[in-house]
Amino acid sequence: MVVRSLLLFALAAVAEIGGAWLVWQGWREDRGALWIAAGVIALGAYGFVATFQPDPNFGRILAAYGGVFVAGSLAWGMVVDKFQPDRWDYLGAAICLAGIGVIMYAPR
């Protein structure tokens, strides 16, 4: 269940961060309406991914996903835009990832 949940979080991150990046590219980098449309579709797909999480609590899923979004955004920036995080970015992402573990996978 934990592996499935983590894979779903990763898929959600690719859909949301990728979708937002496509919109950014379409609008801010003047790549056009097709990029924006692809981004909107990806963002819409992101909205469905959370529904496949094994935990039934929407608030818990979205709260934990916030940490995935933070770390995933930094990783996306590194890979796609050649952004170089500093030590505070890494520390913040590590704190967020620890929060995911507490929120989602602590014994209840």
Side-chain angles (χ1 to χ4, degrees):
M1 285 296 216
V2 172
V3 172
R4 176 179 179 216
S5 175
L6 291 171
L7 289 172
L8 286 167
F9 278 137
L11 180 60
V14 169
E16 184 182 21
I17 298 164
W21 183 83
L22 286 166
V23 171
W24 178 284
Q25 293 297 308
W27 185 257
R28 298 251 332 220
E29 304 297 328
D30 295 320
R31 294 201 174 170
L34 288 178
W35 285 70
I36 294 169
V40 169
I41 291 167
L43 288 166
Y46 151 75
F48 286 97
V49 173
T51 66
F52 295 103
Q53 282 285 355
D55 190 294
N57 299 293
F58 176 81
R60 180 177 294 139
I61 298 300
L62 267 287
Y65 174 69
V68 174
F69 180 80
V70 169
S73 295
L74 290 172
W76 183 281
M78 291 170 63
V79 171
V80 176
D81 291 327
K82 306 305 180 219
F83 168 71
Q84 184 55 52
D86 62 25
R87 65 182 172 172
W88 302 110
D89 294 323
Y90 286 117
L91 178 61
I95 291 168
C96 290
L97 292 173
I100 295 164
V102 172
I103 291 169
M104 285 297 296
Y105 310 117
R108 290 194 156 68

